[in-house]
Amino acid sequence: MRGEISSRLWNRRELLAGGAIGLFGAAATAAPSAKVAVARCAAYDAGVLAALRTMFDQIGGIGPLAAGKTVAVKINMSGPVRARTGYRPAWYTHWSHPAVIGAAVHLIGEAGASRIRIVESSSYDDHPLEENFLLGGWEPDDLLKAARNVEMENTSFLGKGKRYSQLKVPGGGLIYPAFDVNHSYVDCDVLVSIAKLKEHCNTGVSLSLKNMVGAAPGAVYGDAAGYDAPALRPFGALTMFHTGSRQPPEGTPAEKDPNSPREYGHRVPRITVDIVRSRPIDLAIIDGIETQTAMETAAEQPAKGPVRMVRPGILVAGRNPVCTDAVAMAIMGFDPMADRGAAPFETSDSTLRLAEEAGIGSRDTRTIEVAGVTIREARFPFRA
Amino acid sequence: MAELIPFRWPAEWKDVSKLDLLRGTPINCLAGETAPPFTSADFPFVKLDPEHPPKGVTLREGVWPRVAPATKKEGAPAGPTGDAWVDSNAWVVRLAHLMEPGTTVWLTEQAPGGNEVTSMDSFVKPIAEAEAFGAHWVIALDRIFREELEQSSEAAVRSWRRMMSTLKFFAGRRDWRSWEPVAALAIVSSFEGDGKLMSEEFLNLAPRRHLAYRAIRLADGPATSFEGMKAVLYLEPEPPQGEMRTKLFDFARGGGLVIAPKGTVTGSAVERKAEHGLWPVGNGRVAMPLGGWDDPFLLVAQVHLLLGHRDDVVRVWNAGSTDTYFVASKTDRKALVHLIPYADGSTQPITLGFREPYRSARIIRLDAEKVVKSSKGPLGMEIPVGEVADYAAVLLEL
């Protein structure tokens, strides 16, 4: 049996592999829905704290979530730390802005968190994360002093840990059954994903779900990873995720099916879902105050369309990352129910659909209660 | 006597009339291993003999400045962790000036040759690179360039004119050569003996990270001021002794960071960072490697982390394989960042960042210059430089 999906031919084995979670729209289990807050915020100033405070109240408060807990805050600092889109610092184009991170950290601290660790994996170095803030052009002390007991860790390698921690995907996963990660993702009681409101040249959008791909350590899954063991230091892209070019180092869980499609648009959305299922996101925050259209990293990847620096002037937050991403997508002018072939998923499967089918959350905005500004009011079409 | 600006006279050119090419240019001497079959009062011949260099000149072989290209089907050479490998003469010139002060360095590299075709446009780069560091490239044409020039092809004439205007550009700015490196890190080494390879490679690789340094000869160390330095790297295989040790420990007691080989201090480290142990000394610290100093690439990274990016004297974005060389005038409040890109074509739009509140910035290119407005960034001022091909400088005034 051969079937044609999108622009490539798939053989029976691939179809069976893809169909395991309903590639053809098999009945999905009812995915939960949770309230999402949307706020207007014109600039990275004191207004961010006020807006986030209101939004957290609107989604039920974060006190019960954070009080007495160790909270990991996964930010987005993807790509080379010295890269900018033109002259615009990456905080304004494709990274989570420190004003948003700082406000979130402050409120999490205020809610009683016992420890807050800001985490991100750098693909290109084993620097302390503080040093990468400096390289990006920001003073890390601003964030380290935003609450009590705040620390940072570059999770692209062992970091301050002695060994990698393993996160198993419940039910076995779509691509990987488990991941070896920096200790920070296991040490934490609560995981917050702070993403940028942005498109992605290969996965359509990169929001709170996709942000978690950056939890994977480059020393294990990056181009510099050894075959016998993880590299001591990360370097290079996560090509084994992107194209399935090879398996992880010996001792790290391998793919379930090395004969599954080697295509980026098939693999990365599924790996994203696997990662999020292995370590669920407890709070999703999307920074859409300033961003750019068209692609994630201007210096590195070809654009699907013109790159524009834009100011949607919005923040989105919710307890369920799929619901939060769906609302964000709708604000960007995309249909969160869209699938491969329709914008923005011209070349990939929809991470949101796969996440919904995996039971993480609903992407149907008709079932998602939106607090604050409505989607219609906040709408900022990225491809207008 | 005017400073000598050398041109490697092609052995194929027997006719004295070919000298017309050089008239009206900054070139004023011919160079090579063998003299041309004529003499000229206007263009004296200088023999390139490393054993007997011309008076006042230090000869260095050098490399063709560029990002090293692929030599195998699998891909291009790379640094130890995957960055493109850059063939640069920056360290060669800076070290030669340090070891043989008062001389002018001549770099004698030639285009790669073999079956590799070198774009005529790329002959500006070795001139700009050498001149930016206060040296001269012994200009040498390859066969294709020479033949095209003989036929007066438009491309060859255009490239030749750009080369000559590059020489004129730097000849008009000779004062820049006396400006001194701006850095937070001093490197003290003999640059000889068992530590020669490590210390030379450190100088070669530090610019890849935009880690600015000031190199000091070990013999000069005790008498050299460390004022303005945040850290001193004592880059020798064995711990410092005598006056040098006293000087380094004085620097640490005053609040500085001394990075030195194993055995410099004893006892247990109070902190670990970047694969080094740290010992408090007065108001400062001494750092020693937990293992050894085996890999210059790693040592550069470790030293940079020990120093910390907060003390970067210049911050650089979108520069790709571009070197920055930050110097300042000794007599007035001017400073300059040379930007030397090693890849072909233009860079992305480069931004430079500084902690110092320079009140004006001028972007100086080989063919134009303009004043640019700085903007305030979270870590100081930022200057939009623009895309850079071949060379640019940013002139700053406090």
Side-chain angles (χ1 to χ4, degrees):
Chain A
M1 172 188 165
R2 292 180 75 85
E4 190 167 2
I5 295 175
S6 188
S7 59
R8 72 182 292 276
L9 289 172
W10 294 43
N11 62 32
R12 184 171 183 276
R13 188 183 182 91
E14 289 172 339
L15 286 171
L16 288 171
I21 57 134
L23 187 64
F24 295 107
T29 53
S33 183
K35 193 189 278 187
V36 174
V38 179
R40 285 205 183 284
C41 192
Y44 293 110
D45 56 20
V48 177
L49 181 64
L52 272 185
R53 189 188 297 278
T54 302
M55 294 167 79
F56 288 171
D57 288 343
Q58 287 168 334
I59 59 173
I62 61 167
L65 185 69
K69 307 281 179 56
T70 294
V71 179
V73 177
K74 166 68 174 72
I75 61 170
N76 191 299
M77 285 176 68
S78 56
V81 290
R82 291 184 194 268
R84 290 183 166 185
T85 304
Y87 298 117
R88 202 71 179 136
W91 320 105
Y92 299 90
T93 60
H94 60 279
W95 289 354
S96 324
H97 193 282
V100 176
I101 302 167
V105 166
H106 179 80
L107 293 170
I108 292 164
E110 202 174 75
S114 59
R115 182 178 301 277
I116 302 168
R117 185 176 297 155
I118 300 168
V119 291
E120 172 60 313
S121 302
S122 170
S123 298
Y124 297 91
D125 57 70
D126 59 348
H127 296 165
L129 189 53
E130 292 91 329
E131 292 291 326
N132 281 351
F133 267 89
L134 289 165
L135 278 167
W138 204 274
E139 177 52 70
D141 285 353
D142 293 351
L143 304 180
L144 294 168
K145 292 173 182 166
R148 281 188 314 113
N149 293 334
V150 182
E151 52 196 43
M152 293 188 179
E153 185 149 353
N154 178 350
T155 53
S156 198
F157 63 114
L158 275 176
K160 293 167 187 163
K162 298 216 181 306
R163 62 186 65 83
Y164 288 100
S165 302
Q166 195 160 99
L167 292 172
K168 288 192 166 64
V169 185
L174 302 174
I175 303 285
Y176 289 100
F179 298 91
D180 282 353
V181 296
N182 173 283
H183 67 101
S184 298
Y185 298 99
V186 175
D187 290 351
C188 64
D189 305 305
V190 175
L191 177 64
V192 180
S193 172
I194 303 184
K196 196 73 166 180
L197 187 78
K198 64 184 178 183
E199 294 175 81
H200 189 279
C201 55
N202 289 314
T203 60
V205 289
S206 178
L207 302 166
S208 72
L209 292 165
K210 172 70 169 58
N211 181 37
M212 292 312 300
V213 173
V220 179
Y221 299 100
D223 292 344
Y227 284 85
D228 297 336
L232 289 176
R233 295 171 183 80
F235 192 88
L238 304 176
T239 308
M240 82 174 77
F241 276 8
H242 301 164
T243 65
S245 55
R246 52 163 287 196
Q247 294 302 313
E250 201 174 316
T252 298
E255 281 183 57
K256 291 172 64 179
D257 179 6
N259 296 314
S260 63
R262 304 286 92 183
E263 184 217 6
Y264 195 118
H266 173 89
R267 292 176 60 79
V268 175
R270 285 168 174 78
I271 292 169
T272 303
V273 170
D274 285 346
I275 291 173
V276 173
R277 290 189 71 219
S278 74
R279 185 38 181 112
I281 297 167
D282 297 294
L283 174 63
I285 300 169
I286 299 172
D287 164 18
I289 295 174
E290 288 192 43
T291 182
Q292 70 177 43
T293 65
M295 57 185 166
E296 188 181 12
T297 308
E300 284 196 309
Q301 294 168 326
K304 275 183 181 167
V307 178
R308 293 179 293 128
M309 315 289 182
V310 291
R311 290 186 174 183
I314 61 142
L315 290 166
V316 186
R319 292 289 307 274
N320 185 300
V322 185
C323 301
T324 308
D325 284 8
V327 169
M329 266 191 76
I331 290 169
M332 296 166 82
F334 298 122
D335 177 6
M337 300 300 284
D339 206 348
R340 185 186 273 264
F345 303 118
E346 289 92 345
T347 58
S348 73
D349 294 331
S350 164
T351 305
L352 277 76
R353 174 178 64 76
L354 294 163
E356 182 181 67
E357 289 172 358
I360 298 172
S362 171
R363 62 180 166 139
D364 185 350
T365 51
R366 292 170 304 180
T367 70
I368 302 168
E369 185 184 348
V370 176
V373 179
T374 66
I375 292 174
R376 181 188 291 268
E377 289 167 341
R379 198 172 141 84
F380 189 94
F382 270 48
R383 296 197 188 169
Chain B
M1 182 182 156
E3 183 183 22
L4 293 177
I5 312 289
F7 174 74
R8 182 183 283 272
W9 189 256
E12 292 79 3
W13 286 359
K14 314 289 186 192
D15 185 353
V16 70
S17 68
K18 287 282 194 302
L19 282 175
D20 289 347
L21 180 70
L22 309 184
R23 297 191 195 284
T25 74
I27 293 169
N28 57 14
C29 77
L30 309 183
E33 284 73 28
T34 54
F38 54 79
T39 57
S40 165
D42 296 338
F43 298 97
F45 175 74
V46 174
K47 188 173 170 62
L48 298 176
D49 178 357
E51 298 299 315
H52 303 94
K55 191 178 177 194
V57 170
T58 296
L59 292 176
R60 289 289 183 269
E61 195 172 350
V63 290
W64 189 254
R66 60 177 174 170
V67 171
T71 52
K72 294 178 188 169
K73 193 177 173 186
E74 298 83 57
T81 58
D83 273 330
W85 184 263
V86 171
D87 283 335
S88 157
N89 296 302
W91 73 275
V92 176
V93 176
R94 292 187 65 183
L95 185 57
H97 282 151
L98 182 73
M99 304 305 275
E100 300 186 43
T103 61
T104 301
V105 177
W106 287 10
L107 294 166
T108 60
E109 77 270 12
Q110 299 189 51
N115 60 2
E116 191 176 331
V117 175
T118 304
S119 153
M120 289 185 287
D121 285 343
S122 67
F123 280 69
V124 166
K125 204 175 292 271
I127 297 176
E129 187 208 35
E131 298 287 335
F133 290 97
H136 296 307
W137 175 46
V138 180
I139 294 171
L141 306 178
D142 67 358
R143 182 184 57 80
I144 293 173
F145 202 154
R146 194 184 67 244
E147 290 174 359
E148 294 265 333
L149 210 49
E150 285 168 0
Q151 293 159 19
S152 299
S153 88
E154 194 182 321
V157 170
R158 188 181 59 238
S159 293
W160 175 256
R161 285 181 179 154
R162 283 190 67 232
M163 292 163 66
M164 295 305 103
S165 64
T166 302
L167 279 178
K168 284 179 187 162
F169 172 93
F170 285 101
R173 295 168 174 81
R174 289 217 169 107
D175 57 319
W176 288 357
R177 290 195 213 166
S178 64
W179 294 17
E180 294 196 331
V182 177
L185 173 72
I187 301 167
V188 176
S189 175
S190 65
F191 299 101
E192 290 173 342
D194 292 345
K196 182 178 166 70
L197 178 64
M198 178 64 81
S199 55
E200 288 184 348
E201 274 305 286
F202 193 100
L203 302 191
N204 185 18
L205 296 172
R208 298 291 92 73
R209 302 177 57 94
H210 304 288
L211 173 57
Y213 65 83
R214 186 174 152 216
I216 298 168
R217 275 199 312 188
L218 177 55
D220 301 331
T224 304
S225 168
F226 294 149
E227 190 183 342
M229 297 295 134
K230 302 277 185 184
V232 178
L233 169 64
Y234 182 78
L235 193 39
E236 284 290 310
E238 300 299 327
Q241 305 291 331
E243 275 185 295
M244 192 67 243
R245 181 182 175 85
T246 304
K247 172 102 179 175
L248 290 169
F249 275 76
D250 285 348
F251 175 72
R253 273 189 283 275
L257 168 68
V258 172
I259 306 164
K262 262 188 170 176
T264 300
V265 291
T266 54
S268 300
V270 295
E271 188 188 343
R272 287 182 175 202
K273 187 177 178 186
E275 292 166 55
H276 282 67
L278 288 162
W279 284 258
V281 176
N283 293 322
R285 295 170 300 168
V286 171
M288 292 194 308
L290 298 171
W293 287 344
D294 304 319
D295 180 335
F297 179 88
L298 289 180
L299 180 58
V300 171
Q302 290 159 2
V303 168
H304 206 168
L305 289 177
L306 287 166
L307 177 63
H309 290 284
R310 191 174 274 109
D311 283 315
D312 283 350
V313 292
V314 56
R315 300 176 195 284
V316 187
W317 292 279
N318 278 1
S321 301
T322 299
D323 266 14
T324 48
Y325 181 42
F326 193 6
V327 292
S329 166
K330 287 179 277 190
T331 55
D332 53 30
R333 294 160 67 80
K334 289 181 181 170
L336 184 83
V337 180
H338 296 277
L339 291 160
I340 304 117
Y342 285 90
D344 288 339
S346 290
T347 64
Q348 293 274 323
I350 291 176
T351 299
L352 297 184
F354 303 90
R355 278 199 183 276
E356 292 284 344
Y358 294 103
R359 64 182 168 82
S360 77
R362 179 180 290 269
I363 312 299
I364 304 175
R365 298 175 186 278
L366 295 173
D367 54 0
E369 57 181 81
K370 67 171 182 180
V371 173
V372 292
K373 198 175 170 201
S374 63
S375 60
K376 193 174 180 313
L379 297 177
M381 66 178 294
E382 294 187 0
I383 294 170
V385 176
E387 298 173 3
V388 176
D390 294 325
Y391 173 83
V394 180
L395 182 64
L396 304 153
E397 250 181 285
L398 272 173

